[in-house]
PDB file of all heavy atoms in Angstrom:
ATOM      1  N   ILE A   1      87.222 102.629 132.346  1.00  0.00           N
ATOM      2  CA  ILE A   1      86.238 102.950 131.310  1.00  0.00           C
ATOM      3  C   ILE A   1      86.738 104.185 130.570  1.00  0.00           C
ATOM      4  O   ILE A   1      87.087 105.189 131.185  1.00  0.00           O
ATOM      5  CB  ILE A   1      84.853 103.233 131.913  1.00  0.00           C
ATOM      6  CG1 ILE A   1      84.345 102.007 132.676  1.00  0.00           C
ATOM      7  CG2 ILE A   1      83.857 103.620 130.819  1.00  0.00           C
ATOM      8  CD1 ILE A   1      83.072 102.263 133.447  1.00  0.00           C
ATOM      9  N   TYR A   2      86.789 104.086 129.243  1.00  0.00           N
ATOM     10  CA  TYR A   2      87.315 105.181 128.431  1.00  0.00           C
ATOM     11  C   TYR A   2      86.313 105.590 127.356  1.00  0.00           C
ATOM     12  O   TYR A   2      85.849 104.752 126.583  1.00  0.00           O
ATOM     13  CB  TYR A   2      88.613 104.749 127.742  1.00  0.00           C
ATOM     14  CG  TYR A   2      89.697 104.348 128.707  1.00  0.00           C
ATOM     15  CD1 TYR A   2      89.878 103.011 129.047  1.00  0.00           C
ATOM     16  CD2 TYR A   2      90.513 105.302 129.286  1.00  0.00           C
ATOM     17  CE1 TYR A   2      90.875 102.648 129.931  1.00  0.00           C
ATOM     18  CE2 TYR A   2      91.511 104.942 130.179  1.00  0.00           C
ATOM     19  CZ  TYR A   2      91.686 103.610 130.495  1.00  0.00           C
ATOM     20  OH  TYR A   2      92.663 103.251 131.372  1.00  0.00           O
ATOM     21  N   PRO A   3      85.994 106.882 127.287  1.00  0.00           N
ATOM     22  CA  PRO A   3      85.154 107.360 126.198  1.00  0.00           C
ATOM     23  C   PRO A   3      86.014 107.523 124.946  1.00  0.00           C
ATOM     24  O   PRO A   3      87.138 108.017 125.016  1.00  0.00           O
ATOM     25  CB  PRO A   3      84.669 108.718 126.704  1.00  0.00           C
ATOM     26  CG  PRO A   3      85.804 109.210 127.543  1.00  0.00           C
ATOM     27  CD  PRO A   3      86.371 107.970 128.187  1.00  0.00           C
ATOM     28  N   VAL A   4      85.512 107.076 123.802  1.00  0.00           N
ATOM     29  CA  VAL A   4      86.269 107.197 122.559  1.00  0.00           C
ATOM     30  C   VAL A   4      85.332 107.492 121.392  1.00  0.00           C
ATOM     31  O   VAL A   4      84.116 107.350 121.505  1.00  0.00           O
ATOM     32  CB  VAL A   4      87.077 105.914 122.245  1.00  0.00           C
ATOM     33  CG1 VAL A   4      88.126 105.633 123.309  1.00  0.00           C
ATOM     34  CG2 VAL A   4      86.170 104.711 122.049  1.00  0.00           C
ATOM     35  N   SER A   5      85.933 107.871 120.296  1.00  0.00           N
ATOM     36  CA  SER A   5      85.210 108.013 119.039  1.00  0.00           C
ATOM     37  C   SER A   5      85.978 107.245 117.972  1.00  0.00           C
ATOM     38  O   SER A   5      86.981 107.736 117.438  1.00  0.00           O
ATOM     39  CB  SER A   5      85.082 109.485 118.630  1.00  0.00           C
ATOM     40  OG  SER A   5      84.601 109.556 117.300  1.00  0.00           O
ATOM     41  N   ALA A   6      85.532 106.039 117.679  1.00  0.00           N
ATOM     42  CA  ALA A   6      86.180 105.221 116.660  1.00  0.00           C
ATOM     43  C   ALA A   6      86.099 105.903 115.292  1.00  0.00           C
ATOM     44  O   ALA A   6      87.035 105.819 114.499  1.00  0.00           O
ATOM     45  CB  ALA A   6      85.546 103.839 116.611  1.00  0.00           C
ATOM     46  N   HIS A   7      85.011 106.584 115.028  1.00  0.00           N
ATOM     47  CA  HIS A   7      84.840 107.279 113.746  1.00  0.00           C
ATOM     48  C   HIS A   7      85.924 108.345 113.566  1.00  0.00           C
ATOM     49  O   HIS A   7      86.576 108.408 112.522  1.00  0.00           O
ATOM     50  CB  HIS A   7      83.441 107.906 113.681  1.00  0.00           C
ATOM     51  CG  HIS A   7      83.170 108.660 112.430  1.00  0.00           C
ATOM     52  ND1 HIS A   7      82.970 108.049 111.220  1.00  0.00           N
ATOM     53  CD2 HIS A   7      83.082 109.991 112.198  1.00  0.00           C
ATOM     54  CE1 HIS A   7      82.763 108.964 110.300  1.00  0.00           C
ATOM     55  NE2 HIS A   7      82.833 110.146 110.861  1.00  0.00           N
ATOM     56  N   ASN A   8      86.125 109.176 114.579  1.00  0.00           N
ATOM     57  CA  ASN A   8      87.163 110.204 114.488  1.00  0.00           C
ATOM     58  C   ASN A   8      88.550 109.582 114.376  1.00  0.00           C
ATOM     59  O   ASN A   8      89.386 110.054 113.600  1.00  0.00           O
ATOM     60  CB  ASN A   8      87.105 111.138 115.697  1.00  0.00           C
ATOM     61  CG  ASN A   8      85.947 112.102 115.645  1.00  0.00           C
ATOM     62  OD1 ASN A   8      85.257 112.224 114.645  1.00  0.00           O
ATOM     63  ND2 ASN A   8      85.711 112.783 116.743  1.00  0.00           N
ATOM     64  N   ALA A   9      88.812 108.531 115.142  1.00  0.00           N
ATOM     65  CA  ALA A   9      90.116 107.863 115.088  1.00  0.00           C
ATOM     66  C   ALA A   9      90.367 107.272 113.703  1.00  0.00           C
ATOM     67  O   ALA A   9      91.467 107.387 113.155  1.00  0.00           O
ATOM     68  CB  ALA A   9      90.201 106.780 116.153  1.00  0.00           C
ATOM     69  N   TYR A  10      89.349 106.648 113.129  1.00  0.00           N
ATOM     70  CA  TYR A  10      89.462 106.054 111.799  1.00  0.00           C
ATOM     71  C   TYR A  10      89.796 107.118 110.756  1.00  0.00           C
ATOM     72  O   TYR A  10      90.736 106.964 109.967  1.00  0.00           O
ATOM     73  CB  TYR A  10      88.156 105.342 111.437  1.00  0.00           C
ATOM     74  CG  TYR A  10      88.037 104.984 109.986  1.00  0.00           C
ATOM     75  CD1 TYR A  10      88.753 103.915 109.462  1.00  0.00           C
ATOM     76  CD2 TYR A  10      87.222 105.713 109.136  1.00  0.00           C
ATOM     77  CE1 TYR A  10      88.651 103.591 108.118  1.00  0.00           C
ATOM     78  CE2 TYR A  10      87.119 105.394 107.800  1.00  0.00           C
ATOM     79  CZ  TYR A  10      87.832 104.337 107.286  1.00  0.00           C
ATOM     80  OH  TYR A  10      87.736 104.019 105.961  1.00  0.00           O
ATOM     81  N   LEU A  11      89.029 108.206 110.729  1.00  0.00           N
ATOM     82  CA  LEU A  11      89.271 109.254 109.741  1.00  0.00           C
ATOM     83  C   LEU A  11      90.650 109.888 109.928  1.00  0.00           C
ATOM     84  O   LEU A  11      91.370 110.131 108.951  1.00  0.00           O
ATOM     85  CB  LEU A  11      88.188 110.334 109.825  1.00  0.00           C
ATOM     86  CG  LEU A  11      86.801 109.938 109.344  1.00  0.00           C
ATOM     87  CD1 LEU A  11      85.809 111.068 109.604  1.00  0.00           C
ATOM     88  CD2 LEU A  11      86.817 109.582 107.857  1.00  0.00           C
ATOM     89  N   ALA A  12      91.027 110.144 111.175  1.00  0.00           N
ATOM     90  CA  ALA A  12      92.330 110.757 111.447  1.00  0.00           C
ATOM     91  C   ALA A  12      93.474 109.856 110.989  1.00  0.00           C
ATOM     92  O   ALA A  12      94.408 110.315 110.327  1.00  0.00           O
ATOM     93  CB  ALA A  12      92.463 111.063 112.934  1.00  0.00           C
ATOM     94  N   ASN A  13      93.406 108.581 111.330  1.00  0.00           N
ATOM     95  CA  ASN A  13      94.474 107.668 110.941  1.00  0.00           C
ATOM     96  C   ASN A  13      94.537 107.448 109.440  1.00  0.00           C
ATOM     97  O   ASN A  13      95.621 107.356 108.871  1.00  0.00           O
ATOM     98  CB  ASN A  13      94.343 106.332 111.672  1.00  0.00           C
ATOM     99  CG  ASN A  13      94.968 106.393 113.030  1.00  0.00           C
ATOM    100  OD1 ASN A  13      95.994 107.029 113.222  1.00  0.00           O
ATOM    101  ND2 ASN A  13      94.358 105.728 113.991  1.00  0.00           N
ATOM    102  N   ARG A  14      93.403 107.382 108.809  1.00  0.00           N
ATOM    103  CA  ARG A  14      93.391 107.213 107.354  1.00  0.00           C
ATOM    104  C   ARG A  14      94.027 108.427 106.679  1.00  0.00           C
ATOM    105  O   ARG A  14      94.817 108.280 105.749  1.00  0.00           O
ATOM    106  CB  ARG A  14      91.955 107.011 106.879  1.00  0.00           C
ATOM    107  CG  ARG A  14      91.884 106.506 105.480  1.00  0.00           C
ATOM    108  CD  ARG A  14      90.659 105.708 105.195  1.00  0.00           C
ATOM    109  NE  ARG A  14      90.754 105.233 103.831  1.00  0.00           N
ATOM    110  CZ  ARG A  14      89.733 104.837 103.125  1.00  0.00           C
ATOM    111  NH1 ARG A  14      88.533 104.827 103.665  1.00  0.00           N
ATOM    112  NH2 ARG A  14      89.891 104.424 101.899  1.00  0.00           N
ATOM    113  N   ALA A  15      93.712 109.625 107.161  1.00  0.00           N
ATOM    114  CA  ALA A  15      94.298 110.845 106.601  1.00  0.00           C
ATOM    115  C   ALA A  15      95.798 110.898 106.880  1.00  0.00           C
ATOM    116  O   ALA A  15      96.588 111.219 105.989  1.00  0.00           O
ATOM    117  CB  ALA A  15      93.604 112.071 107.177  1.00  0.00           C
ATOM    118  N   LYS A  16      96.198 110.581 108.112  1.00  0.00           N
ATOM    119  CA  LYS A  16      97.631 110.597 108.452  1.00  0.00           C
ATOM    120  C   LYS A  16      98.420 109.645 107.555  1.00  0.00           C
ATOM    121  O   LYS A  16      99.502 109.995 107.071  1.00  0.00           O
ATOM    122  CB  LYS A  16      97.841 110.199 109.917  1.00  0.00           C
ATOM    123  CG  LYS A  16      97.498 111.266 110.912  1.00  0.00           C
ATOM    124  CD  LYS A  16      97.752 110.723 112.316  1.00  0.00           C
ATOM    125  CE  LYS A  16      97.621 111.764 113.367  1.00  0.00           C
ATOM    126  NZ  LYS A  16      98.019 111.275 114.691  1.00  0.00           N
ATOM    127  N   CYS A  17      97.909 108.457 107.338  1.00  0.00           N
ATOM    128  CA  CYS A  17      98.596 107.479 106.488  1.00  0.00           C
ATOM    129  C   CYS A  17      98.708 107.970 105.048  1.00  0.00           C
ATOM    130  O   CYS A  17      99.767 107.872 104.427  1.00  0.00           O
ATOM    131  CB  CYS A  17      97.875 106.134 106.524  1.00  0.00           C
ATOM    132  SG  CYS A  17      98.074 105.262 108.087  1.00  0.00           S
ATOM    133  N   SER A  18      97.625 108.481 104.523  1.00  0.00           N
ATOM    134  CA  SER A  18      97.633 108.983 103.150  1.00  0.00           C
ATOM    135  C   SER A  18      98.610 110.141 102.992  1.00  0.00           C
ATOM    136  O   SER A  18      99.374 110.196 102.023  1.00  0.00           O
ATOM    137  CB  SER A  18      96.225 109.424 102.737  1.00  0.00           C
ATOM    138  OG  SER A  18      96.231 109.862 101.402  1.00  0.00           O
ATOM    139  N   LEU A  19      98.607 111.067 103.944  1.00  0.00           N
ATOM    140  CA  LEU A  19      99.520 112.211 103.877  1.00  0.00           C
ATOM    141  C   LEU A  19     100.975 111.771 104.017  1.00  0.00           C
ATOM    142  O   LEU A  19     101.859 112.300 103.345  1.00  0.00           O
ATOM    143  CB  LEU A  19      99.153 113.244 104.940  1.00  0.00           C
ATOM    144  CG  LEU A  19      97.827 113.970 104.710  1.00  0.00           C
ATOM    145  CD1 LEU A  19      97.418 114.751 105.957  1.00  0.00           C
ATOM    146  CD2 LEU A  19      97.895 114.875 103.490  1.00  0.00           C
ATOM    147  N   ALA A  20     101.244 110.786 104.864  1.00  0.00           N
ATOM    148  CA  ALA A  20     102.612 110.299 105.049  1.00  0.00           C
ATOM    149  C   ALA A  20     103.110 109.553 103.809  1.00  0.00           C
ATOM    150  O   ALA A  20     104.265 109.724 103.402  1.00  0.00           O
ATOM    151  CB  ALA A  20     102.685 109.392 106.270  1.00  0.00           C
ATOM    152  N   LEU A  21     102.248 108.744 103.208  1.00  0.00           N
ATOM    153  CA  LEU A  21     102.664 107.933 102.066  1.00  0.00           C
ATOM    154  C   LEU A  21     102.669 108.691 100.738  1.00  0.00           C
ATOM    155  O   LEU A  21     103.574 108.529  99.927  1.00  0.00           O
ATOM    156  CB  LEU A  21     101.745 106.712 101.927  1.00  0.00           C
ATOM    157  CG  LEU A  21     101.866 105.648 102.999  1.00  0.00           C
ATOM    158  CD1 LEU A  21     100.769 104.598 102.842  1.00  0.00           C
ATOM    159  CD2 LEU A  21     103.243 104.985 102.934  1.00  0.00           C
ATOM    160  N   TYR A  22     101.637 109.505 100.520  1.00  0.00           N
ATOM    161  CA  TYR A  22     101.439 110.105  99.196  1.00  0.00           C
ATOM    162  C   TYR A  22     101.540 111.629  99.184  1.00  0.00           C
ATOM    163  O   TYR A  22     101.438 112.249  98.133  1.00  0.00           O
ATOM    164  CB  TYR A  22     100.081 109.684  98.630  1.00  0.00           C
ATOM    165  CG  TYR A  22      99.888 108.193  98.652  1.00  0.00           C
ATOM    166  CD1 TYR A  22      98.939 107.611  99.486  1.00  0.00           C
ATOM    167  CD2 TYR A  22     100.665 107.355  97.861  1.00  0.00           C
ATOM    168  CE1 TYR A  22      98.763 106.239  99.514  1.00  0.00           C
ATOM    169  CE2 TYR A  22     100.495 105.985  97.885  1.00  0.00           C
ATOM    170  CZ  TYR A  22      99.539 105.433  98.720  1.00  0.00           C
ATOM    171  OH  TYR A  22      99.366 104.072  98.752  1.00  0.00           O
ATOM    172  N   LYS A  23     101.656 112.227 100.363  1.00  0.00           N
ATOM    173  CA  LYS A  23     101.728 113.698 100.497  1.00  0.00           C
ATOM    174  C   LYS A  23     100.477 114.392  99.969  1.00  0.00           C
ATOM    175  O   LYS A  23     100.511 115.552  99.567  1.00  0.00           O
ATOM    176  CB  LYS A  23     102.965 114.271  99.785  1.00  0.00           C
ATOM    177  CG  LYS A  23     104.266 113.642 100.195  1.00  0.00           C
ATOM    178  CD  LYS A  23     104.600 113.974 101.629  1.00  0.00           C
ATOM    179  CE  LYS A  23     105.966 113.425 101.994  1.00  0.00           C
ATOM    180  NZ  LYS A  23     105.980 112.643 103.184  1.00  0.00           N
ATOM    181  N   LYS A  24      99.372 113.669  99.973  1.00  0.00           N
ATOM    182  CA  LYS A  24      98.084 114.235  99.578  1.00  0.00           C
ATOM    183  C   LYS A  24      96.969 113.316 100.050  1.00  0.00           C
ATOM    184  O   LYS A  24      97.213 112.186 100.456  1.00  0.00           O
ATOM    185  CB  LYS A  24      97.995 114.433  98.069  1.00  0.00           C
ATOM    186  CG  LYS A  24      97.999 113.146  97.279  1.00  0.00           C
ATOM    187  CD  LYS A  24      97.843 113.400  95.806  1.00  0.00           C
ATOM    188  CE  LYS A  24      97.685 112.063  95.073  1.00  0.00           C
ATOM    189  NZ  LYS A  24      97.305 112.247  93.691  1.00  0.00           N
ATOM    190  N   LEU A  25      95.763 113.832  99.992  1.00  0.00           N
ATOM    191  CA  LEU A  25      94.585 113.018 100.299  1.00  0.00           C
ATOM    192  C   LEU A  25      93.988 112.540  98.986  1.00  0.00           C
ATOM    193  O   LEU A  25      93.982 113.271  97.998  1.00  0.00           O
ATOM    194  CB  LEU A  25      93.556 113.837 101.080  1.00  0.00           C
ATOM    195  CG  LEU A  25      93.994 114.284 102.478  1.00  0.00           C
ATOM    196  CD1 LEU A  25      92.919 115.154 103.118  1.00  0.00           C
ATOM    197  CD2 LEU A  25      94.290 113.091 103.369  1.00  0.00           C
ATOM    198  N   PRO A  26      93.481 111.323  98.952  1.00  0.00           N
ATOM    199  CA  PRO A  26      92.915 110.793  97.712  1.00  0.00           C
ATOM    200  C   PRO A  26      91.560 111.427  97.391  1.00  0.00           C
ATOM    201  O   PRO A  26      90.947 112.075  98.235  1.00  0.00           O
ATOM    202  CB  PRO A  26      92.757 109.300  98.007  1.00  0.00           C
ATOM    203  CG  PRO A  26      92.559 109.246  99.476  1.00  0.00           C
ATOM    204  CD  PRO A  26      93.384 110.369 100.050  1.00  0.00           C
ATOM    205  N   ASP A  27      91.124 111.218  96.184  1.00  0.00           N
ATOM    206  CA  ASP A  27      89.812 111.688  95.762  1.00  0.00           C
ATOM    207  C   ASP A  27      88.795 110.591  96.078  1.00  0.00           C
ATOM    208  O   ASP A  27      88.336 109.871  95.201  1.00  0.00           O
ATOM    209  CB  ASP A  27      89.827 112.013  94.262  1.00  0.00           C
ATOM    210  CG  ASP A  27      88.526 112.648  93.797  1.00  0.00           C
ATOM    211  OD1 ASP A  27      87.782 113.158  94.643  1.00  0.00           O
ATOM    212  OD2 ASP A  27      88.265 112.609  92.583  1.00  0.00           O
ATOM    213  N   GLU A  28      88.494 110.447  97.366  1.00  0.00           N
ATOM    214  CA  GLU A  28      87.568 109.422  97.836  1.00  0.00           C
ATOM    215  C   GLU A  28      86.559 110.051  98.789  1.00  0.00           C
ATOM    216  O   GLU A  28      86.810 111.100  99.378  1.00  0.00           O
ATOM    217  CB  GLU A  28      88.323 108.297  98.550  1.00  0.00           C
ATOM    218  CG  GLU A  28      89.257 107.526  97.645  1.00  0.00           C
ATOM    219  CD  GLU A  28      90.032 106.433  98.366  1.00  0.00           C
ATOM    220  OE1 GLU A  28      89.730 106.138  99.534  1.00  0.00           O
ATOM    221  OE2 GLU A  28      90.947 105.885  97.740  1.00  0.00           O
ATOM    222  N   GLY A  29      85.421 109.391  98.966  1.00  0.00           N
ATOM    223  CA  GLY A  29      84.321 109.934  99.764  1.00  0.00           C
ATOM    224  C   GLY A  29      84.653 110.241 101.212  1.00  0.00           C
ATOM    225  O   GLY A  29      84.151 111.201 101.780  1.00  0.00           O
ATOM    226  N   TRP A  30      85.509 109.440 101.850  1.00  0.00           N
ATOM    227  CA  TRP A  30      85.821 109.649 103.261  1.00  0.00           C
ATOM    228  C   TRP A  30      86.514 110.982 103.497  1.00  0.00           C
ATOM    229  O   TRP A  30      86.407 111.552 104.578  1.00  0.00           O
ATOM    230  CB  TRP A  30      86.645 108.504 103.831  1.00  0.00           C
ATOM    231  CG  TRP A  30      88.039 108.375 103.281  1.00  0.00           C
ATOM    232  CD1 TRP A  30      88.429 107.606 102.231  1.00  0.00           C
ATOM    233  CD2 TRP A  30      89.199 109.050 103.747  1.00  0.00           C
ATOM    234  NE1 TRP A  30      89.773 107.756 102.015  1.00  0.00           N
ATOM    235  CE2 TRP A  30      90.274 108.637 102.934  1.00  0.00           C
ATOM    236  CE3 TRP A  30      89.458 109.960 104.766  1.00  0.00           C
ATOM    237  CZ2 TRP A  30      91.569 109.095 103.101  1.00  0.00           C
ATOM    238  CZ3 TRP A  30      90.753 110.437 104.939  1.00  0.00           C
ATOM    239  CH2 TRP A  30      91.794 110.002 104.112  1.00  0.00           C
ATOM    240  N   VAL A  31      87.216 111.487 102.484  1.00  0.00           N
ATOM    241  CA  VAL A  31      87.951 112.754 102.642  1.00  0.00           C
ATOM    242  C   VAL A  31      86.990 113.900 102.903  1.00  0.00           C
ATOM    243  O   VAL A  31      87.266 114.782 103.714  1.00  0.00           O
ATOM    244  CB  VAL A  31      88.848 113.029 101.412  1.00  0.00           C
ATOM    245  CG1 VAL A  31      89.480 114.410 101.502  1.00  0.00           C
ATOM    246  CG2 VAL A  31      89.905 111.947 101.287  1.00  0.00           C
ATOM    247  N   LYS A  32      85.844 113.875 102.256  1.00  0.00           N
ATOM    248  CA  LYS A  32      84.863 114.934 102.490  1.00  0.00           C
ATOM    249  C   LYS A  32      84.375 114.897 103.941  1.00  0.00           C
ATOM    250  O   LYS A  32      84.222 115.931 104.579  1.00  0.00           O
ATOM    251  CB  LYS A  32      83.700 114.826 101.519  1.00  0.00           C
ATOM    252  CG  LYS A  32      82.792 116.013 101.561  1.00  0.00           C
ATOM    253  CD  LYS A  32      81.890 116.097 100.360  1.00  0.00           C
ATOM    254  CE  LYS A  32      81.197 117.432 100.402  1.00  0.00           C
ATOM    255  NZ  LYS A  32      80.531 117.762  99.175  1.00  0.00           N
ATOM    256  N   ASN A  33      84.133 113.705 104.488  1.00  0.00           N
ATOM    257  CA  ASN A  33      83.743 113.589 105.903  1.00  0.00           C
ATOM    258  C   ASN A  33      84.844 114.109 106.816  1.00  0.00           C
ATOM    259  O   ASN A  33      84.575 114.780 107.807  1.00  0.00           O
ATOM    260  CB  ASN A  33      83.436 112.135 106.270  1.00  0.00           C
ATOM    261  CG  ASN A  33      82.153 111.647 105.674  1.00  0.00           C
ATOM    262  OD1 ASN A  33      81.248 112.414 105.394  1.00  0.00           O
ATOM    263  ND2 ASN A  33      82.070 110.356 105.460  1.00  0.00           N
TER     264      ASN A  33
END
């Protein structure tokens, strides 16, 4: 049994991908979260 936070994982991975591909975060609502 593993405790997790899918919300935190989602935001972290989305940010990592954006930073790796574009070297910046987009102007989208999730970035504020």
Side-chain angles (χ1 to χ4, degrees):
I1 300 173
Y2 300 95
V4 297
S5 169
H7 179 72
N8 286 351
Y10 166 75
L11 289 175
N13 276 323
R14 194 153 183 200
K16 284 180 172 187
C17 288
S18 182
L19 291 168
L21 290 172
Y22 308 112
K23 306 293 184 231
K24 66 177 187 170
L25 295 177
D27 186 19
E28 295 178 9
W30 67 267
V31 173
K32 190 164 189 167
N33 288 334

